[in-house]
Every structure is written in structure tokens, then in C-alpha cells.
mmCIF file of all heavy atoms in Angstrom:
data_model
loop_
_atom_site.group_PDB
_atom_site.id
_atom_site.type_symbol
_atom_site.label_atom_id
_atom_site.label_comp_id
_atom_site.label_asym_id
_atom_site.label_seq_id
_atom_site.Cartn_x
_atom_site.Cartn_y
_atom_site.Cartn_z
ATOM 1 N N ALA A 1 0.829 -1.207 0.000
ATOM 2 C CA ALA A 1 0.000 0.000 0.000
ATOM 3 C C ALA A 1 0.862 1.256 0.000
ATOM 4 O O ALA A 1 0.577 2.224 -0.697
ATOM 5 C CB ALA A 1 -0.939 -0.014 1.199
ATOM 6 N N GLY A 2 1.947 1.239 0.765
ATOM 7 C CA GLY A 2 2.837 2.398 0.824
ATOM 8 C C GLY A 2 3.976 2.322 -0.165
ATOM 9 O O GLY A 2 4.874 3.159 -0.149
ATOM 10 N N GLY A 3 3.988 1.320 -1.025
ATOM 11 C CA GLY A 3 5.069 1.134 -1.998
ATOM 12 C C GLY A 3 6.031 0.070 -1.520
ATOM 13 O O GLY A 3 6.096 -0.265 -0.346
ATOM 14 N N ASN A 4 6.783 -0.485 -2.422
ATOM 15 C CA ASN A 4 7.767 -1.501 -2.105
ATOM 16 C C ASN A 4 9.067 -0.805 -1.733
ATOM 17 O O ASN A 4 9.629 -0.064 -2.534
ATOM 18 C CB ASN A 4 7.955 -2.428 -3.311
ATOM 19 C CG ASN A 4 8.937 -3.528 -3.034
ATOM 20 O OD1 ASN A 4 10.131 -3.289 -2.892
ATOM 21 N ND2 ASN A 4 8.428 -4.745 -2.953
ATOM 22 N N VAL A 5 9.573 -1.059 -0.528
ATOM 23 C CA VAL A 5 10.754 -0.358 -0.017
ATOM 24 C C VAL A 5 11.978 -0.622 -0.890
ATOM 25 O O VAL A 5 12.711 0.304 -1.235
ATOM 26 C CB VAL A 5 11.012 -0.744 1.457
ATOM 27 C CG1 VAL A 5 12.283 -0.107 1.968
ATOM 28 C CG2 VAL A 5 9.831 -0.337 2.330
ATOM 29 N N MET A 6 12.210 -1.885 -1.255
ATOM 30 C CA MET A 6 13.398 -2.187 -2.055
ATOM 31 C C MET A 6 13.310 -1.547 -3.438
ATOM 32 O O MET A 6 14.288 -0.989 -3.935
ATOM 33 C CB MET A 6 13.609 -3.695 -2.203
ATOM 34 C CG MET A 6 14.892 -4.021 -2.978
ATOM 35 S SD MET A 6 15.213 -5.777 -3.204
ATOM 36 C CE MET A 6 13.970 -6.200 -4.417
ATOM 37 N N LEU A 7 12.144 -1.617 -4.075
ATOM 38 C CA LEU A 7 12.007 -1.017 -5.405
ATOM 39 C C LEU A 7 12.159 0.497 -5.350
ATOM 40 O O LEU A 7 12.776 1.095 -6.238
ATOM 41 C CB LEU A 7 10.676 -1.417 -6.027
ATOM 42 C CG LEU A 7 10.513 -2.903 -6.354
ATOM 43 C CD1 LEU A 7 9.128 -3.170 -6.928
ATOM 44 C CD2 LEU A 7 11.602 -3.399 -7.297
ATOM 45 N N SER A 8 11.643 1.122 -4.305
ATOM 46 C CA SER A 8 11.824 2.578 -4.139
ATOM 47 C C SER A 8 13.291 2.906 -3.934
ATOM 48 O O SER A 8 13.821 3.862 -4.520
ATOM 49 C CB SER A 8 11.003 3.088 -2.956
ATOM 50 O OG SER A 8 9.639 2.878 -3.189
ATOM 51 N N TRP A 9 13.953 2.134 -3.091
ATOM 52 C CA TRP A 9 15.388 2.323 -2.848
ATOM 53 C C TRP A 9 16.164 2.180 -4.148
ATOM 54 O O TRP A 9 17.028 2.986 -4.471
ATOM 55 C CB TRP A 9 15.860 1.298 -1.809
ATOM 56 C CG TRP A 9 17.337 1.198 -1.674
ATOM 57 C CD1 TRP A 9 18.150 1.964 -0.889
ATOM 58 C CD2 TRP A 9 18.208 0.281 -2.355
ATOM 59 N NE1 TRP A 9 19.456 1.580 -1.039
ATOM 60 C CE2 TRP A 9 19.512 0.547 -1.931
ATOM 61 C CE3 TRP A 9 17.989 -0.743 -3.277
ATOM 62 C CZ2 TRP A 9 20.608 -0.176 -2.400
ATOM 63 C CZ3 TRP A 9 19.074 -1.457 -3.747
ATOM 64 C CH2 TRP A 9 20.368 -1.172 -3.309
ATOM 65 N N LEU A 10 15.856 1.120 -4.934
ATOM 66 C CA LEU A 10 16.564 0.871 -6.182
ATOM 67 C C LEU A 10 16.361 2.009 -7.174
ATOM 68 O O LEU A 10 17.320 2.470 -7.805
ATOM 69 C CB LEU A 10 16.115 -0.454 -6.797
ATOM 70 C CG LEU A 10 16.750 -0.813 -8.140
ATOM 71 C CD1 LEU A 10 18.268 -0.933 -8.010
ATOM 72 C CD2 LEU A 10 16.137 -2.101 -8.685
ATOM 73 N N ALA A 11 15.139 2.485 -7.309
ATOM 74 C CA ALA A 11 14.865 3.597 -8.233
ATOM 75 C C ALA A 11 15.702 4.815 -7.868
ATOM 76 O O ALA A 11 16.303 5.456 -8.744
ATOM 77 C CB ALA A 11 13.375 3.937 -8.215
ATOM 78 N N GLU A 12 15.783 5.115 -6.586
ATOM 79 C CA GLU A 12 16.573 6.272 -6.138
ATOM 80 C C GLU A 12 18.064 6.042 -6.368
ATOM 81 O O GLU A 12 18.779 6.939 -6.843
ATOM 82 C CB GLU A 12 16.304 6.556 -4.664
ATOM 83 C CG GLU A 12 17.007 7.796 -4.173
ATOM 84 C CD GLU A 12 16.637 8.140 -2.741
ATOM 85 O OE1 GLU A 12 15.539 7.763 -2.284
ATOM 86 O OE2 GLU A 12 17.460 8.807 -2.082
ATOM 87 N N GLU A 13 18.553 4.858 -6.034
ATOM 88 C CA GLU A 13 19.978 4.548 -6.232
ATOM 89 C C GLU A 13 20.368 4.619 -7.709
ATOM 90 O O GLU A 13 21.424 5.139 -8.055
ATOM 91 C CB GLU A 13 20.312 3.164 -5.659
ATOM 92 C CG GLU A 13 20.295 3.097 -4.154
ATOM 93 C CD GLU A 13 21.436 3.857 -3.500
ATOM 94 O OE1 GLU A 13 22.533 3.957 -4.099
ATOM 95 O OE2 GLU A 13 21.229 4.344 -2.380
ATOM 96 N N LEU A 14 19.520 4.077 -8.577
ATOM 97 C CA LEU A 14 19.813 4.124 -10.009
ATOM 98 C C LEU A 14 19.784 5.551 -10.536
ATOM 99 O O LEU A 14 20.620 5.936 -11.358
ATOM 100 C CB LEU A 14 18.829 3.245 -10.789
ATOM 101 C CG LEU A 14 19.022 1.739 -10.621
ATOM 102 C CD1 LEU A 14 17.858 0.982 -11.248
ATOM 103 C CD2 LEU A 14 20.340 1.280 -11.227
ATOM 104 N N GLN A 15 18.843 6.340 -10.066
ATOM 105 C CA GLN A 15 18.761 7.746 -10.493
ATOM 106 C C GLN A 15 20.006 8.521 -10.068
ATOM 107 O O GLN A 15 20.492 9.365 -10.809
ATOM 108 C CB GLN A 15 17.521 8.404 -9.912
ATOM 109 C CG GLN A 15 17.363 9.852 -10.339
ATOM 110 C CD GLN A 15 16.064 10.446 -9.831
ATOM 111 O OE1 GLN A 15 15.112 9.739 -9.538
ATOM 112 N NE2 GLN A 15 16.028 11.757 -9.737
ATOM 113 N N ASN A 16 20.540 8.211 -8.903
ATOM 114 C CA ASN A 16 21.694 8.938 -8.370
ATOM 115 C C ASN A 16 23.033 8.345 -8.788
ATOM 116 O O ASN A 16 24.076 8.924 -8.494
ATOM 117 C CB ASN A 16 21.618 9.002 -6.843
ATOM 118 C CG ASN A 16 20.438 9.828 -6.376
ATOM 119 O OD1 ASN A 16 20.009 10.759 -7.050
ATOM 120 N ND2 ASN A 16 19.887 9.468 -5.230
ATOM 121 N N SER A 17 23.021 7.205 -9.456
ATOM 122 C CA SER A 17 24.269 6.543 -9.817
ATOM 123 C C SER A 17 24.964 7.265 -10.967
ATOM 124 O O SER A 17 24.363 7.546 -11.998
ATOM 125 C CB SER A 17 23.999 5.100 -10.233
ATOM 126 O OG SER A 17 25.199 4.493 -10.688
ATOM 127 N N ALA A 18 26.246 7.535 -10.769
ATOM 128 C CA ALA A 18 27.065 8.125 -11.824
ATOM 129 C C ALA A 18 28.027 7.090 -12.393
ATOM 130 O O ALA A 18 28.904 7.431 -13.190
ATOM 131 C CB ALA A 18 27.838 9.318 -11.270
ATOM 132 N N ALA A 19 27.880 5.835 -12.004
ATOM 133 C CA ALA A 19 28.780 4.780 -12.459
ATOM 134 C C ALA A 19 28.626 4.546 -13.954
ATOM 135 O O ALA A 19 27.515 4.568 -14.478
ATOM 136 C CB ALA A 19 28.501 3.485 -11.699
ATOM 137 N N PHE A 20 29.741 4.304 -14.623
ATOM 138 C CA PHE A 20 29.704 3.996 -16.048
ATOM 139 C C PHE A 20 29.063 2.629 -16.266
ATOM 140 O O PHE A 20 28.257 2.446 -17.163
ATOM 141 C CB PHE A 20 31.115 4.037 -16.637
ATOM 142 C CG PHE A 20 31.138 3.885 -18.129
ATOM 143 C CD1 PHE A 20 30.892 4.969 -18.949
ATOM 144 C CD2 PHE A 20 31.379 2.651 -18.713
ATOM 145 C CE1 PHE A 20 30.893 4.834 -20.336
ATOM 146 C CE2 PHE A 20 31.384 2.502 -20.090
ATOM 147 C CZ PHE A 20 31.142 3.590 -20.903
ATOM 148 N N TRP A 21 29.454 1.644 -15.441
ATOM 149 C CA TRP A 21 28.898 0.296 -15.516
ATOM 150 C C TRP A 21 28.003 0.052 -14.324
ATOM 151 O O TRP A 21 28.396 0.268 -13.183
ATOM 152 C CB TRP A 21 30.007 -0.761 -15.534
ATOM 153 C CG TRP A 21 30.750 -0.763 -16.816
ATOM 154 C CD1 TRP A 21 32.018 -0.317 -17.037
ATOM 155 C CD2 TRP A 21 30.263 -1.220 -18.082
ATOM 156 N NE1 TRP A 21 32.349 -0.465 -18.353
ATOM 157 C CE2 TRP A 21 31.290 -1.027 -19.019
ATOM 158 C CE3 TRP A 21 29.063 -1.776 -18.514
ATOM 159 C CZ2 TRP A 21 31.162 -1.366 -20.356
ATOM 160 C CZ3 TRP A 21 28.928 -2.115 -19.842
ATOM 161 C CH2 TRP A 21 29.970 -1.905 -20.748
ATOM 162 N N ARG A 22 26.799 -0.437 -14.587
ATOM 163 C CA ARG A 22 25.847 -0.776 -13.532
ATOM 164 C C ARG A 22 25.368 -2.200 -13.778
ATOM 165 O O ARG A 22 24.835 -2.498 -14.848
ATOM 166 C CB ARG A 22 24.687 0.214 -13.522
ATOM 167 C CG ARG A 22 25.218 1.625 -13.310
ATOM 168 C CD ARG A 22 24.195 2.680 -13.184
ATOM 169 N NE ARG A 22 23.233 2.744 -14.246
ATOM 170 C CZ ARG A 22 22.164 3.536 -14.204
ATOM 171 N NH1 ARG A 22 21.948 4.303 -13.163
ATOM 172 N NH2 ARG A 22 21.315 3.565 -15.216
ATOM 173 N N ILE A 23 25.583 -3.037 -12.775
ATOM 174 C CA ILE A 23 25.214 -4.447 -12.869
ATOM 175 C C ILE A 23 24.311 -4.789 -11.694
ATOM 176 O O ILE A 23 24.629 -4.462 -10.553
ATOM 177 C CB ILE A 23 26.463 -5.359 -12.862
ATOM 178 C CG1 ILE A 23 27.355 -5.055 -14.067
ATOM 179 C CG2 ILE A 23 26.064 -6.826 -12.828
ATOM 180 C CD1 ILE A 23 28.675 -5.807 -14.066
ATOM 181 N N ALA A 24 23.209 -5.454 -11.982
ATOM 182 C CA ALA A 24 22.320 -5.929 -10.921
ATOM 183 C C ALA A 24 22.519 -7.435 -10.765
ATOM 184 O O ALA A 24 22.720 -8.148 -11.747
ATOM 185 C CB ALA A 24 20.862 -5.629 -11.257
ATOM 186 N N ILE A 25 22.474 -7.894 -9.507
ATOM 187 C CA ILE A 25 22.574 -9.320 -9.223
ATOM 188 C C ILE A 25 21.431 -9.711 -8.295
ATOM 189 O O ILE A 25 21.104 -8.990 -7.359
ATOM 190 C CB ILE A 25 23.943 -9.709 -8.619
ATOM 191 C CG1 ILE A 25 24.218 -8.945 -7.317
ATOM 192 C CG2 ILE A 25 25.067 -9.470 -9.603
ATOM 193 C CD1 ILE A 25 25.477 -9.373 -6.600
ATOM 194 N N PHE A 26 20.791 -10.820 -8.604
ATOM 195 C CA PHE A 26 19.741 -11.359 -7.752
ATOM 196 C C PHE A 26 19.487 -12.805 -8.154
ATOM 197 O O PHE A 26 20.094 -13.300 -9.105
ATOM 198 C CB PHE A 26 18.459 -10.513 -7.781
ATOM 199 C CG PHE A 26 17.967 -10.134 -9.146
ATOM 200 C CD1 PHE A 26 17.106 -10.957 -9.858
ATOM 201 C CD2 PHE A 26 18.359 -8.935 -9.723
ATOM 202 C CE1 PHE A 26 16.646 -10.597 -11.118
ATOM 203 C CE2 PHE A 26 17.900 -8.555 -10.975
ATOM 204 C CZ PHE A 26 17.038 -9.397 -11.678
ATOM 205 N N HIS A 27 18.599 -13.478 -7.461
ATOM 206 C CA HIS A 27 18.457 -14.919 -7.615
ATOM 207 C C HIS A 27 17.610 -15.373 -8.814
ATOM 208 O O HIS A 27 18.005 -16.255 -9.559
ATOM 209 C CB HIS A 27 17.879 -15.519 -6.330
ATOM 210 C CG HIS A 27 17.940 -17.007 -6.287
ATOM 211 N ND1 HIS A 27 19.127 -17.702 -6.199
ATOM 212 C CD2 HIS A 27 16.963 -17.937 -6.341
ATOM 213 C CE1 HIS A 27 18.883 -18.986 -6.204
ATOM 214 N NE2 HIS A 27 17.572 -19.176 -6.279
ATOM 215 N N HIS A 28 16.445 -14.813 -9.015
ATOM 216 C CA HIS A 28 15.474 -15.351 -9.979
ATOM 217 C C HIS A 28 15.572 -14.679 -11.349
ATOM 218 O O HIS A 28 15.370 -13.476 -11.459
ATOM 219 C CB HIS A 28 14.049 -15.171 -9.437
ATOM 220 C CG HIS A 28 13.834 -15.873 -8.148
ATOM 221 N ND1 HIS A 28 14.065 -15.263 -6.933
ATOM 222 C CD2 HIS A 28 13.424 -17.128 -7.875
ATOM 223 C CE1 HIS A 28 13.803 -16.118 -5.964
ATOM 224 N NE2 HIS A 28 13.410 -17.259 -6.505
ATOM 225 N N PRO A 29 15.827 -15.441 -12.428
ATOM 226 C CA PRO A 29 15.902 -14.836 -13.760
ATOM 227 C C PRO A 29 14.503 -14.492 -14.281
ATOM 228 O O PRO A 29 13.585 -15.307 -14.168
ATOM 229 C CB PRO A 29 16.534 -15.942 -14.616
ATOM 230 C CG PRO A 29 16.145 -17.210 -13.934
ATOM 231 C CD PRO A 29 16.059 -16.887 -12.465
ATOM 232 N N PRO A 30 14.323 -13.311 -14.851
ATOM 233 C CA PRO A 30 12.990 -12.952 -15.343
ATOM 234 C C PRO A 30 12.604 -13.686 -16.623
ATOM 235 O O PRO A 30 11.423 -13.893 -16.876
ATOM 236 C CB PRO A 30 13.083 -11.453 -15.585
ATOM 237 C CG PRO A 30 14.530 -11.186 -15.793
ATOM 238 C CD PRO A 30 15.266 -12.200 -14.972
ATOM 239 N N TYR A 31 13.588 -14.053 -17.435
ATOM 240 C CA TYR A 31 13.297 -14.680 -18.723
ATOM 241 C C TYR A 31 13.984 -16.039 -18.778
ATOM 242 O O TYR A 31 15.200 -16.122 -18.906
ATOM 243 C CB TYR A 31 13.765 -13.794 -19.878
ATOM 244 C CG TYR A 31 13.218 -12.395 -19.771
ATOM 245 C CD1 TYR A 31 14.024 -11.322 -19.406
ATOM 246 C CD2 TYR A 31 11.861 -12.151 -19.994
ATOM 247 C CE1 TYR A 31 13.499 -10.044 -19.288
ATOM 248 C CE2 TYR A 31 11.332 -10.877 -19.874
ATOM 249 C CZ TYR A 31 12.162 -9.833 -19.509
ATOM 250 O OH TYR A 31 11.637 -8.579 -19.385
ATOM 251 N N THR A 32 13.216 -17.102 -18.669
ATOM 252 C CA THR A 32 13.757 -18.450 -18.694
ATOM 253 C C THR A 32 12.679 -19.411 -19.184
ATOM 254 O O THR A 32 11.497 -19.182 -18.962
ATOM 255 C CB THR A 32 14.265 -18.882 -17.305
ATOM 256 O OG1 THR A 32 14.813 -20.196 -17.394
ATOM 257 C CG2 THR A 32 13.169 -18.861 -16.258
ATOM 258 N N ALA A 33 13.114 -20.453 -19.843
ATOM 259 C CA ALA A 33 12.192 -21.525 -20.220
ATOM 260 C C ALA A 33 12.538 -22.773 -19.421
ATOM 261 O O ALA A 33 12.058 -23.850 -19.713
ATOM 262 C CB ALA A 33 12.283 -21.807 -21.711
ATOM 263 N N GLY A 34 13.396 -22.609 -18.418
ATOM 264 C CA GLY A 34 13.865 -23.736 -17.632
ATOM 265 C C GLY A 34 12.848 -24.231 -16.615
ATOM 266 O O GLY A 34 11.664 -23.885 -16.646
ATOM 267 N N LYS A 35 13.336 -25.027 -15.705
ATOM 268 C CA LYS A 35 12.528 -25.693 -14.687
ATOM 269 C C LYS A 35 11.672 -24.716 -13.882
ATOM 270 O O LYS A 35 10.578 -25.035 -13.457
ATOM 271 C CB LYS A 35 13.464 -26.478 -13.770
ATOM 272 C CG LYS A 35 12.804 -27.251 -12.675
ATOM 273 C CD LYS A 35 13.842 -28.032 -11.879
ATOM 274 C CE LYS A 35 13.171 -28.782 -10.752
ATOM 275 N NZ LYS A 35 14.152 -29.570 -9.991
ATOM 276 N N HIS A 36 12.182 -23.495 -13.673
ATOM 277 C CA HIS A 36 11.494 -22.520 -12.820
ATOM 278 C C HIS A 36 10.695 -21.470 -13.594
ATOM 279 O O HIS A 36 10.320 -20.444 -13.040
ATOM 280 C CB HIS A 36 12.508 -21.826 -11.906
ATOM 281 C CG HIS A 36 13.143 -22.765 -10.938
ATOM 282 N ND1 HIS A 36 12.455 -23.338 -9.903
ATOM 283 C CD2 HIS A 36 14.405 -23.235 -10.864
ATOM 284 C CE1 HIS A 36 13.267 -24.121 -9.213
ATOM 285 N NE2 HIS A 36 14.450 -24.082 -9.778
ATOM 286 N N LYS A 37 10.412 -21.713 -14.862
ATOM 287 C CA LYS A 37 9.729 -20.702 -15.682
ATOM 288 C C LYS A 37 8.381 -20.267 -15.111
ATOM 289 O O LYS A 37 7.945 -19.143 -15.300
ATOM 290 C CB LYS A 37 9.582 -21.170 -17.119
ATOM 291 C CG LYS A 37 8.596 -22.297 -17.298
ATOM 292 C CD LYS A 37 8.436 -22.674 -18.757
ATOM 293 C CE LYS A 37 7.397 -23.731 -18.898
ATOM 294 N NZ LYS A 37 7.847 -24.995 -19.334
ATOM 295 N N ASP A 38 7.699 -21.157 -14.395
ATOM 296 C CA ASP A 38 6.383 -20.829 -13.835
ATOM 297 C C ASP A 38 6.445 -20.473 -12.350
ATOM 298 O O ASP A 38 5.407 -20.330 -11.704
ATOM 299 C CB ASP A 38 5.418 -22.007 -14.044
ATOM 300 C CG ASP A 38 5.174 -22.269 -15.524
ATOM 301 O OD1 ASP A 38 5.065 -21.294 -16.289
ATOM 302 O OD2 ASP A 38 5.109 -23.455 -15.915
ATOM 303 N N ASP A 39 7.644 -20.308 -11.823
ATOM 304 C CA ASP A 39 7.834 -19.937 -10.423
ATOM 305 C C ASP A 39 7.234 -18.552 -10.186
ATOM 306 O O ASP A 39 7.467 -17.626 -10.972
ATOM 307 C CB ASP A 39 9.345 -19.924 -10.130
ATOM 308 C CG ASP A 39 9.686 -19.633 -8.689
ATOM 309 O OD1 ASP A 39 9.152 -18.647 -8.137
ATOM 310 O OD2 ASP A 39 10.513 -20.362 -8.126
ATOM 311 N N PRO A 40 6.454 -18.349 -9.127
ATOM 312 C CA PRO A 40 5.858 -17.028 -8.882
ATOM 313 C C PRO A 40 6.896 -15.927 -8.646
ATOM 314 O O PRO A 40 6.663 -14.776 -8.998
ATOM 315 C CB PRO A 40 4.969 -17.236 -7.654
ATOM 316 C CG PRO A 40 5.322 -18.556 -7.093
ATOM 317 C CD PRO A 40 6.005 -19.346 -8.150
#
């Protein structure tokens, strides 16, 4: 209801980033046809 804290944090960090290279790392791939394609 009040927004997602991590997504708000990420939006602000990305807006303020002056880095030439920006890489995100996390566990679940958004685009896959593998075993976990239907994972919520």
C-alpha cells in the first residue's frame, strides 16, 4: 500500500548513480524456459 521499499530504494539509487557500468545481481531470472519458468 505504501510502496515496495526495495524497489523505491533501487529507483533512487539508479537515479543517483554516476557509475559507467551498472550491474544488478539477484536470484530469480525474469526470462527463462527452464525448470522454474512458472515460479511465482
Side-chain angles (χ1 to χ4, degrees):
N4 182 291
V5 176
M6 183 180 72
L7 294 178
S8 298
W9 168 86
L10 178 61
E12 184 175 334
E13 289 290 329
L14 288 171
Q15 181 176 337
N16 294 330
S17 175
F20 187 82
W21 289 108
R22 301 184 307 172
I23 298 174
I25 58 174
F26 48 88
H27 191 68
H28 300 90
Y31 307 107
T32 181
K35 181 177 179 179
H36 295 291
K37 70 177 183 247
D38 296 321
D39 183 310

